[in-house]
Every structure is written in structure tokens, then in C-alpha cells.
Amino acid sequence: MLRVVSWNINGIRSPLQGVGCQEPSKCSTALRRILDQLDADIVCLQETKVTRDVLTEPLAIVEGYNSYFSFSRSRSGYSGVATFCTDSATPIAAEEGLSGLFATQNGDVGCYGNMDEFTQEELRTLDSEGRALLTQHRICTQEGKEKTLTLINVYCPHADPGKPERLTFKMRFYRLLQIRAEALLEAGSHVIILGDLNTAHRPIDHCDASSLECFEEDPGRKWMDGLLSNLWCQAGSFIDSYRYFQPKQEKSFTCWSVVSGARHLNYGSRLDYILGDRTLVIDTFQASFLLPEVMGSDHCPVGAILNVSCMPAKQCPALCTRFLPEFAGTQLKILRFLVPCKQEPVLGQPALQPNNRTQVQKQQKKGPVSSARPRKSQAGSRSQKNLMSYFQSSFSLPQTSPVVELPSLPPVGTFITPKTAEEDTMATIVEEQAKVFETKDKKEVQTLFWKSMLSGPSPMPLCRGHREPCVMRTVKKPGPNLGRRFYICARPRGPPSDLSARCSFFLWSRPS
């Protein structure tokens, strides 16, 4: 039996955080635990979000597995796929990309088909995001026949409604994928396309297909119509293995919105597939399944079991990560360039004179070395100033005894009448009272200010459907409302008929 599993992990480090992997040295053990949990001979991962410059050895080399990575060459921390094979399922060939432009001519899969409709620049652009990885295996059927099986691990592009050029990119990627897969079939190899295709094929594969306009007219769904066939229609060369075994199973979703908590009520879509060529699925597939109980990503794993045995290759293909210079032990360390080397004198040439630093080190070994800096007595009149001298004013005042100012006395012969004394006393009292009231007003103002600052945020409004506190969200979609905040129901998203799901309450937040 051959068990194959595919999983969009939304970042290869994300599932590791769920098992408590904080140190890089423990990541290899944690990743192997996840791979062992999936219990598959071949595990295909999508959206790894790592590039070669940040790929660490604990993630690249796992005991008991040989791994193959395809990296994005256009953006860091974006896209990327990886395939992990047990040693008992070591492939005979492996290749990055669909076009063959990244092939190394050493252990490649080959069979590219007619790609004349693409320019070299377009092919390189389609493969530059690290969305496809091929591994070819030798299998043996129950009848004892040896065959080749090629797995195409893909992470197909997402069509952003706000970026029409991405829909064009997605459809061209689909076209290139189909040409390569059909070329492999014509060469005599069985083919499995597995991964995140980023399209829900039928209305049964989408939670809210009835509310989408022209659902069946979507270009991605039309492409899948031409690629796939079933028992009654042989239009395409491939079969959706899950629908082959579960043709009418509803709510079989593999992807859910994390922000809306839609996974709690299973309100999602089926974007992840295992597609096999028609002969392979009918003759050798024993089961096709979903694993929604496996957490760690916004997708869940999907898998299939084939009634064949794998014949491992004796040597891993050249694309295997253990052969990369940074992991194979052949990369030079930077310390190699910092270690001083002894140089023997050449006949006829004087020996190199040691530099001043070397001389000082030798003198330190022999004894104390006198400083070459002149002492204070030798420096002459150039003496160091006191630090406080830089904080004194540029002009100096004569040093005199402090002057005590005395209250001015009235001139001789001036008499202070009782009326004048009473007026002075009243004026003093009024000034003192004014100062008291001014101080009191300042304290009241400060008290009101700190009360307003420390009173906390305003209470959340209640949704109309459940009379429960809402949650605040921020618009992240480009447009006139980008950055604005709003309130919605705090419950998870679900079918409109489900009363326990989120209600339709919506309220814009007032600008602060």
C-alpha cells in the first residue's frame, strides 16, 4: 500500500508552534512528529513560506525522510511547496517547476510537452513563485507490473478580485500544469496532481455557492471541467479521487476563514484535491479521505491510499535538500577566512615584518611596555581640561559675597496710615485666595483628564440578532474604506439558516 497526503500548512513554522517548538534544534523532532502523525509514505506541503536563504537544517533534513523544496524567487516568505518522502519511497527523479527552466539535467523528471504558446519570460515568471514540485517514483502493481508514478505537488495561484492580472496569471499556470501533466501521461507514466488548486469545483464543494453570481461560469471551474472526467463522462484525463469515492458527500470542506471562525461551524470550501489519471484511480486507488481533525492551518490535510508498493531508489535525486552545500557540510565557514595562516619566507625575499599589534603582543609577553603617549609633564602647556569647564559660561564674574536683598523701606518722613495698611492686607488676602482657586481648578482639570484617560474603552455595541457584545474589525481591502473600523457579530460565520451562527449586524465605528 502507498499512502499519500497533501496539506496546505500556511507556513511551515505554523504547525510547529502548536506542538511547542520554540528552539530551532527541536524543530526537526517536532516536524517528524507531525509527519509521523500524518502516517504517509509521501507528504506534500504547500505554502511553506520559506526561501532558501532562511531554510534551516532542522526543517530541511528530518530523520527517516528525504525532502525536496521549491522556493519563491520573487518574494520572501511567500508561496513555496515541499515534498517529504520516507526512505522506503525515495523517488528516482525530482524537479522544481513545470517549465523545465529550473531543471538541472541531473535526476530531472523531463517530459515537458509543447510549450510554444508561452514565451521564455512568461515561463520563468510562472515558475518564479515556487508553486510546483515534481517527484517520480517506481511502483509495482498487484499484478507484479512495474510502472512509474509522477506526483505533481502544486500550490495554484489565488485570483484576487481587485487584481485582474492575477486571474490571468492563475489561468496561465493552470494551462502550463495541464500541458506538463498530459505530456507525462503520453510518455507512459501515471500522474497524480495534488495540492491546493484554489478553486471549489462544484456547488457541493462550496458553502455558499447559491449566493455567488455565475458560479459555474468561473474560469477556474471551467478549466477543471475540461481536466476532469467521471464514470459517465470521459472528457478529461484525470479523476477527482474524493468525488470518485464520495460523489454526494456534502460539507466536505478543506479550507475555512480563520478571522470569522468558520471552521467551528464547518462553513468553508473544498480547495485541496488529489487528482489521479483515470486508469490509476480506477485500478489502484483504495480510498480518498479528508482529515479535518488535524489542526495547525486554515486548511486540513487530504489523502489517498493506492494498492501499489513503492520501489525506493538507491540514491536520492540531486534536488534532495541533504545535497545542498549549506547542509552537506561542504560550505566554507566564515571562521576559515579569519584564522591567520603562517607564511614561510621565500628564498631571495625578506621575511614579512610583523605589524605593530604583533610587536605589542610579543612585548606584553616579555614584560610591561612603556606607553608612547607623552605624560603631563612632557605635554607642556597642553593640559586636559576639567569636564565641568565645558558647562561654565564663556565669561567670568567676580567672586563676591552673596548679596541679600532687603525689603525697600519708605522714605524718611513718610507715615503709614491705618487705611493704607488695611488696603495692603486686603490685597494680600485676595492674591492668596486667587492662588488657592487657581490651584484648585488645575487639580480638577487634571482629575477629569486622568479619569477620561483611565476609564477604558467604550462598551461594545450589541448585535441585533443575539443581543451580545460585538467585535471590532478593520477594513484591510484597498479602497475608500481602507483602515476604517466596524462592528460585527462576535459569533462564528455559518449558514444563514443556522441561528447559532453570526447574524448580519454591521455598524461603522465613529472616528475617535
Side-chain angles (χ1 to χ4, degrees), residues 50-57 59-60 69 71 321 324 327:
V50 292
T51 48
R52 180 169 174 175
D53 58 329
V54 298
L55 180 67
T56 59
E57 187 172 349
L59 295 179
F69 280 76
F71 309 101
T321 51
L324 295 178
F327 303 136

Side-chain angles (χ1 to χ4, degrees), residues 41 86 168 186 199 238 274 291 317 386 392 410 440 464:
D41 301 286
T86 60
T168 304
E186 293 177 2
T199 296
F238 291 86
I274 294 184
L291 297 174
N386 188 357
Q392 295 178 357
K440 185 177 180 181
R464 294 190 182 94

